[in-house]
Amino acid sequence: MKNFKKRADLQQYIAGLRAGGAVITFVPTMGALHRGHLSLIEQAKVLGDIVVCSIFVNPTQFNDPKDLEIYPRPILDDIQKLEAVGCDILFNPEVSEMYAGNEKWHLDIGELEGLLEGKFRPGHYQGVTQVVFKLFNVVKPDIALFGQKDYQQVLVIKRMIDLLSLPVKIEMCPISREEDGLAMSSRNIHLTPRDRQHALILSKTLNKVNQHFDPEKIDELKQLAEADITAEPGVALAYFEIADGDTLLPANKNTKSIVALVAAMVGKTRLIDNVIIR
Ligand code: AMP
């Protein structure tokens, strides 16, 4: 695997590959790679010729400085995992390589900005679009792959692509889970064994809502889900929403595409999860 830390070097290298006709696929990550990330790389290999993975813990998308500080950064492990799965190129820049200093960025992403994750993490999606736009400019991928795990993020990136007419195709990949249902996340390493047990209420509740879904009973299902999660010790619910899969506004019985999304603090760790109902 080729490993680049400088934008210019990566751009030059990829330009050569592109000139040779290679289809470039791209998986942006913040590292601490798990099977979920690696499933994206595997899918990227299927869809294109050259897979680029970036590992960059992007400071502008963290609204909590403590969260940024404790974010895991096991880069040597990550490199081994990427090599084992056959990733072609790693881009692992320093913050100073990506940001010149006092940069301003604002993209009008409409209601997605203030809903669900946007409401609980003000400015998060501005940081996400800022860094993904920069990364797209460097890599110029034909296809970029993102996880359903961050469902709202996929909608936000698609909105950015429409607004700025970016020539990138977006592929959303399914959520990788532990055997007991917990959605894989780089943050799971912060869970104590007890947190880890309590965290299961999130995927369990999503499954339950999915199994018992009835368009006539959306409000009732949501209330039951909220009650189940709130009753779990050590879990502080941020939101549980049964939403329109395109807009993330609350769903009603006529909504065509429906997704249930949840966020909660489990001990000191913030977790999110979702299920596509239809
Ligand atoms: P992150 O490193 O958390 O920024 O995630 C990088 C990419 O991996 C994003 O597109 C995530 O949605 C995706 N991802 C994270 N966790 C999972 C998972 N459990 N299954 C599939 N994709 C995931």
Side-chain angles (χ1 to χ4, degrees), residues 176-229:
S176 297
R177 297 181 179 280
E178 304 289 354
E179 258 177 36
D180 57 11
L182 180 70
M184 290 186 177
S185 163
S186 304
R187 291 189 164 87
N188 289 353
I189 63 155
H190 296 312
L191 297 170
T192 65
R194 192 172 292 173
D195 292 341
R196 176 73 184 64
Q197 276 312 109
H198 295 318
L200 295 178
I201 192 68
L202 304 183
S203 54
K204 272 191 195 152
T205 307
L206 287 167
N207 272 338
K208 198 160 136 188
V209 167
N210 193 16
Q211 273 161 18
H212 296 101
F213 185 73
D214 176 346
E216 301 290 339
K217 292 190 178 155
I218 289 180
D219 286 346
E220 202 178 306
L221 281 166
K222 180 182 152 164
Q223 279 167 22
L224 287 171
E226 286 172 344
D228 280 357
I229 296 170

Side-chain angles (χ1 to χ4, degrees), residues 5-278:
K5 293 194 85 69
K6 299 286 175 201
R7 287 187 283 182
D9 296 344
L10 176 67
Q11 271 173 320
Q12 195 186 7
Y13 184 70
I14 293 181
L17 297 169
R18 195 178 296 107
V23 173
I24 312 292
T25 55
F26 179 42
V27 179
T29 81
M30 298 204 298
L33 302 179
H34 50 65
R35 220 170 353 97
H37 295 115
L38 301 179
S39 73
L40 268 59
I41 306 273
E42 277 160 1
Q43 179 62 9
K45 283 169 72 77
V46 173
L47 297 178
D49 304 310
I50 296 288
V51 184
V52 184
C53 174
S54 62
I55 295 182
F56 180 62
V57 183
N58 173 38
T60 70
Q61 73 189 69
F62 284 80
N63 48 332
D64 175 358
K66 181 78 188 154
D67 190 22
L68 173 62
E69 190 192 315
I70 66 167
Y71 203 85
R73 296 158 206 245
I75 187 67
L76 295 179
D77 260 26
D78 285 349
I79 289 173
Q80 275 185 0
K81 287 177 183 167
L82 288 175
E83 280 181 336
V85 81
C87 179
D88 300 293
I89 299 174
L90 168 63
F91 181 46
N92 176 218
E94 298 294 331
V95 172
S96 57
E97 181 67 12
M98 294 303 289
Y99 293 106
N102 277 331
E103 289 179 35
K104 294 233 184 311
W105 170 267
H106 184 80
L107 188 70
D108 185 354
I109 55 170
E111 284 178 310
L112 288 173
E113 176 89 48
L115 288 169
L116 306 180
E117 285 303 286
K119 183 168 163 197
F120 283 86
R121 304 181 70 187
H124 173 64
Y125 288 122
Q126 291 305 322
V128 168
T129 51
Q130 180 181 31
V131 77
V132 172
F133 180 75
K134 280 172 181 271
L135 290 167
F136 280 0
N137 256 341
V138 177
V139 177
K140 296 194 170 58
D142 297 288
I143 304 167
L145 297 92
F146 292 86
Q148 180 201 321
K149 165 85 187 338
D150 298 275
Y151 189 91
Q152 187 169 4
Q153 173 169 276
V154 177
L155 294 185
V156 167
I157 300 292
K158 284 184 172 167
R159 178 73 53 87
M160 174 173 79
I161 282 171
D162 283 349
L163 286 171
L164 304 179
S165 304
L166 303 179
V168 188
K169 193 170 165 274
I170 298 299
E171 195 66 28
M172 182 167 83
C173 302
I175 303 176
S176 297
R177 297 181 179 280
E178 304 289 354
E179 258 177 36
D180 57 11
L182 180 70
M184 290 186 177
S185 163
S186 304
R187 291 189 164 87
N188 289 353
I189 63 155
H190 296 312
L191 297 170
T192 65
R194 192 172 292 173
D195 292 341
R196 176 73 184 64
Q197 276 312 109
H198 295 318
L200 295 178
I201 192 68
L202 304 183
S203 54
K204 272 191 195 152
T205 307
L206 287 167
N207 272 338
K208 198 160 136 188
V209 167
N210 193 16
Q211 273 161 18
H212 296 101
F213 185 73
D214 176 346
E216 301 290 339
K217 292 190 178 155
I218 289 180
D219 286 346
E220 202 178 306
L221 281 166
K222 180 182 152 164
Q223 279 167 22
L224 287 171
E226 286 172 344
D228 280 357
I229 296 170
T230 308
E232 184 74 18
V235 178
L237 180 65
Y239 61 79
F240 188 98
E241 192 61 81
I242 300 175
D244 182 314
D246 299 318
T247 64
L248 293 188
L249 291 166
N252 60 50
K253 63 179 180 198
N254 300 318
T255 308
K256 289 203 177 72
S257 147
I258 296 187
V259 55
L261 308 104
V262 65
M265 288 299 292
V266 179
K268 292 190 177 130
T269 308
R270 190 170 189 281
L271 300 181
I272 59 172
D273 198 354
N274 66 78
V275 64
I276 295 173
I277 292 177
R278 64 181 191 200

